């Protein structure tokens, strides 16, 4: 009787009658279904996260900074990116290409003070704790050197005499706009 009841229980569970191989197959199918669902939800979550939080660093766009001719050698421009990041764009040499400029974060990685370019010393200087960086943003003095902290660098390009910097964007609308901007640079960018 006990054996009969056990068999009925398995059948009413939606599976095969008693037997080792059908049960193994049922377990395999359940595991496969579970794995498939987990993979599906994982992929969905990853895509949703990337889409909704694209301002976290994955979405970038080219932003107009200045006309090339308007920035003299050694001069710097304070620039605020759409996501609020503060940059300092500096002309390092004569010429009409992006290589003549640098675009670095102007926020000291030590404790967040503002750095500025000192053309006479050819360095970025942080007055809070006498931190200093070379023109590439590498630390040369003070706490940033001890901690090996750099100034984040941003890509630059020049088109038709206009200087652009590539920075992170903030909103979903900005992210979509950035793709348009990236596909057809040279138009009104702001
Ligand atoms: S905050 Fe710049 S060196 Fe300390």
């Amino acid at each position: 009787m006990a054996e009969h009841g056990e068999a009925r229980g398995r059948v009413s569970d939606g599976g095969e009658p008693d037997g080792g191989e059908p049960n193994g197959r049922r377990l395999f199918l359940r595991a496969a279904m579970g794995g498939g669902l987990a993979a599906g939800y994982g992929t969905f979550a990853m895509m949703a996260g990337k889409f909704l939080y694209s301002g976290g660093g994955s979405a970038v766009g080219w932003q107009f900074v200045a006309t090339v001719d308007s920035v003299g050698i050694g001069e710097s421009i304070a620039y605020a990116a759409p996501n609020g990041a503060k940059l300092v764009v500096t002309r390092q040499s004569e010429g009409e290409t992006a290589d003549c400029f640098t675009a670095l974060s102007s926020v000291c990685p030590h404790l967040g003070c503002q750095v500025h370019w000192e053309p006479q010393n050819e360095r970025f200087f942080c007055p809070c704790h006498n931190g200093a960086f070379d023109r590439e943003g590498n630390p040369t003095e003070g706490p940033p050197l001890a901690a090996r902290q750099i100034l984040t660098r941003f890509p630059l390009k020049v088109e038709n005499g206009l200087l652009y910097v590539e920075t992170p964007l903030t909103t979903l609308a900005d992210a979509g706009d950035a793709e348009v901007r990236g596909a057809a640079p040279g138009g009104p960018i702001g």
Side-chain angles (χ1 to χ4, degrees), residues 108-113 115 126-131 133 142-144:
C108 181
H110 178 224
L111 291 178
C113 291
V115 304
C126 177
C128 287
H129 309 100
N130 295 325
F133 306 82

Side-chain angles (χ1 to χ4, degrees), residues 2 5 18 24 26 29 39 49 56 69 74 81 90-93 101 109 125 130 142 145 151 160 164 171 187:
D18 194 8
R26 187 169 59 230
L29 288 174
D69 293 342
T90 308
R91 178 186 271 278
Q92 303 287 1
S93 61
F101 297 84
F125 183 67
N130 295 325
L145 177 60
L151 296 174
N160 301 319
Y164 299 93
T171 65

Side-chain angles (χ1 to χ4, degrees), residues 12-177:
S12 65
D13 196 29
E16 299 286 340
D18 194 8
E21 188 175 339
N23 281 338
R25 189 167 59 210
R26 187 169 59 230
L27 288 172
F28 171 79
L29 288 174
R30 284 178 178 171
M33 287 175 63
L37 282 173
Y41 282 125
T43 302
F44 174 77
M46 184 181 69
M47 293 178 67
K50 187 176 179 181
F51 185 68
L52 292 174
Y53 301 104
S54 56
S58 60
V60 296
W62 289 103
Q63 312 294 320
F64 171 71
V65 178
T67 58
V68 170
D69 293 342
S70 67
V71 187
I73 297 176
E75 288 184 359
S76 293
I77 298 173
Y79 183 83
N83 71 338
K86 295 178 180 176
L87 282 64
V88 55
V89 180
T90 308
R91 178 186 271 278
Q92 303 287 1
S93 61
E94 198 171 353
E96 301 294 316
T97 66
D99 295 340
C100 303
F101 297 84
T102 57
L104 300 168
S105 169
S106 63
V107 179
C108 181
H110 178 224
L111 291 178
C113 291
Q114 285 291 295
V115 304
H116 62 270
W117 174 247
E118 292 183 339
Q120 71 277 19
N121 296 319
E122 294 191 352
R123 68 177 186 176
F124 291 94
F125 183 67
C126 177
C128 287
H129 309 100
N130 295 325
F133 306 82
D134 66 16
R135 65 177 64 227
E136 307 295 329
N138 300 308
T140 56
E141 295 177 44
L145 177 60
R148 300 188 179 197
Q149 297 170 311
I150 65 168
L151 296 174
T152 302
R153 188 163 182 168
F154 297 84
L156 287 163
K157 71 176 181 179
V158 171
E159 288 189 358
N160 301 319
L162 306 178
L163 181 65
Y164 299 93
V165 63
E166 190 178 43
T167 68
L169 304 170
T170 49
T171 65
L172 204 56
D174 285 341
D177 195 20

